[in-house]
Amino acid sequence: MKKTIVLTLLLAGFSGLTQAQSIRLGVKGGINYANQNGTEITVTNDNYDSEAITSYHAGLVAEVKLLEGFAIQPELLYSTQGASYKYAGEEFKNELGYLSIPVIAKIYLSKSLSLELGPQASFLMNQRKNVDFKDSKTFEFAAVGGLGLNITKSLFIQARYGLGLTEASKNADIKNSTFQISAGILF
């Protein structure tokens, strides 16, 4: 009899937990303010100064609500990053197109404001460069963090910073850093 009661309570609790979980899919897009930082960026033994570029990101987003104030938000984004380099009055641009997969933990500070933290894996899809850098690495790992604001039940905006933890180039000690501002809709 005790086993039946315990089993019934466990099933009822599990049923309530699965009902509390909700999955919403959506789209998002926005602007990137991207740069590449390193100890010394050299090309043919000459030091280059890097400056940030303005680019974009867009893609799919899902929000999996696990608890009342906690959700996981995996995303699949196309994101352009890179930098502009200056040397001896000449300017060169290195733009990298990544397929980025952030998996964000969303901690709701209120009904509309959330703290967002998590890892991001990025795979190099293409590269437009006007500078003679050695080959870029095809995989990058980053840590991302920021804030999200739900404007309505479906519309949201986000501000996020991503710091590359792995080098973006095989022969230079440079890492991507990106500040993103996004807007999106969940269905």
Side-chain angles (χ1 to χ4, degrees):
M1 181 69 155
K2 288 182 185 179
K3 289 181 183 180
T4 305
I5 293 172
V6 170
L7 184 59
T8 303
L9 289 174
L10 285 174
L11 288 174
F14 182 71
S15 173
L17 181 61
T18 58
Q19 294 296 326
Q21 291 182 353
S22 66
I23 299 174
R24 297 175 65 198
L25 303 175
V27 294
K28 71 180 259 187
I31 60 171
N32 291 347
Y33 187 70
N35 202 349
Q36 293 180 322
N37 303 311
T39 54
E40 238 180 55
I41 300 169
T42 59
V43 178
T44 62
N45 297 327
D46 297 322
N47 287 338
Y48 281 69
D49 294 323
S50 70
E51 290 187 5
I53 61 171
T54 303
S55 57
Y56 66 94
H57 65 277
L60 303 173
V61 61
E63 183 181 77
V64 182
K65 195 166 191 177
L66 300 175
L67 301 171
E68 184 61 34
F70 181 75
I72 299 293
Q73 183 170 307
E75 300 174 358
L76 182 63
L77 304 173
Y78 182 79
S79 179
T80 55
Q81 301 175 27
S84 177
Y85 293 92
K86 289 185 179 181
Y87 177 74
E90 292 186 57
E91 186 171 330
F92 309 95
K93 190 174 183 180
N94 187 28
E95 190 174 292
L96 306 168
Y98 287 99
L99 179 64
S100 297
I101 306 169
V103 180
I104 306 300
K106 293 178 74 170
I107 302 163
Y108 282 92
L109 304 174
S110 70
K111 287 195 181 258
S112 59
L113 183 66
S114 62
L115 175 65
E116 303 177 352
L117 302 166
Q120 175 176 287
S122 297
F123 301 91
L124 185 63
M125 302 298 286
N126 61 30
Q127 179 176 6
R128 289 189 299 183
K129 59 182 178 177
N130 301 74
V131 60
D132 189 24
F133 283 138
K134 302 296 180 192
D135 293 334
S136 296
K137 288 190 176 180
T138 57
F139 176 77
E140 180 197 35
F141 188 73
V144 294
L147 294 173
L149 180 66
N150 293 336
I151 298 170
T152 66
K153 187 175 180 178
S154 297
L155 295 174
F156 65 88
I157 57 174
Q158 296 171 322
R160 188 181 293 167
Y161 180 75
L163 177 63
L165 301 176
T166 58
E167 278 84 23
S169 175
K170 292 179 182 177
N171 297 319
D173 184 21
I174 57 174
K175 297 178 181 177
N176 286 316
S177 64
T178 308
F179 178 72
Q180 297 179 326
I181 297 177
S182 311
I185 185 166
L186 289 170
F187 303 104

